[in-house]
Amino acid sequence: MSTEILTKPEVEFTDHELDQINVELEQMDPLEIIAWSRETFGNGLIGTTNMNSTSPIMLKFISEVDRSIQLVTIRLGHESNKTKTLTTWYKGVFGLNLAIHGDSTPVAHGAEAVSARKVELFQREVVDRYKPSAILMGGMHDGETEGREHTPIIRRQGSFFAIRPVL
């Protein structure tokens, strides 16, 4: 699939329904969560990866459930040749439907500049371009983000549902 807008089903959940779904999803393994997500959101489901050290886990899981799920990675302009080589290798070994977006303009130094650039590129290159109903994302409870231990598996995040199967 190229950068065409996905046909997405109209899926809406109340806060109470989301709470109930999260209780059910917490009992599932990541493969079951990805399969549920694909069944629930159809072609409105995409995945994102930042090609970090834990990315192969999600990429393998997604490839086992449905290799046709559109995956997106965003280049921020500071990726090493090793990361670029691994991206190509992961795409081939897992048979992924992977699109690479972003640009080669290096990000200014500093946490705030990097964070702002990530948010801007994510909005433009993922949300605006694909208009997904739901996005499979990495991230684990013991990750680098403070408070992640309280993050639900699925939650509403603006115009889409964020789903984190490996929490």
Side-chain angles (χ1 to χ4, degrees), residues 20-151:
Q20 290 177 318
I21 290 167
N22 272 300
V23 168
E24 293 174 21
L25 294 177
E26 288 170 6
Q27 306 307 311
M28 296 180 186
D29 66 40
L31 294 170
E32 292 171 319
I33 294 169
I34 294 167
W36 174 87
S37 301
R38 186 60 157 175
E39 183 178 316
T40 302
F41 296 100
N43 287 334
L45 176 71
I46 67 170
T48 59
T49 179
N50 59 6
M51 294 299 171
N52 67 17
S53 61
T54 61
S55 292
I57 297 165
M58 272 290 289
L59 298 176
K60 180 167 178 21
F61 289 158
I62 290 170
S63 75
E64 288 181 14
V65 172
D66 186 346
R67 290 179 181 201
S68 71
I69 293 173
Q70 178 67 62
L71 291 168
V72 180
T73 190
I74 299 172
R75 294 225 166 118
L76 297 173
H78 65 270
E79 290 76 12
S80 67
N81 285 333
K82 181 179 179 181
T83 299
K84 291 175 183 177
T85 300
L86 281 173
T87 300
T88 302
W89 187 79
Y90 292 147
K91 182 176 181 177
V93 77
F94 295 128
L96 301 171
N97 182 15
L98 178 67
I100 301 169
H101 298 295
D103 58 43
S104 59
T105 306
V107 178
H109 294 292
E112 286 185 29
V114 171
S115 180
R117 177 76 171 164
K118 284 181 179 180
V119 169
E120 182 266 326
L121 282 172
F122 182 82
Q123 181 65 42
R124 183 182 77 216
E125 300 295 341
V126 177
V127 178
D128 294 346
R129 183 183 295 247
Y130 292 94
K131 303 197 182 321
S133 298
I135 300 176
L136 294 169
M137 300 176 163
M140 295 179 269
H141 279 143
D142 61 350
E144 71 284 351
T145 305
E146 191 174 322
R148 188 171 275 171
E149 67 273 8
H150 304 295
T151 301

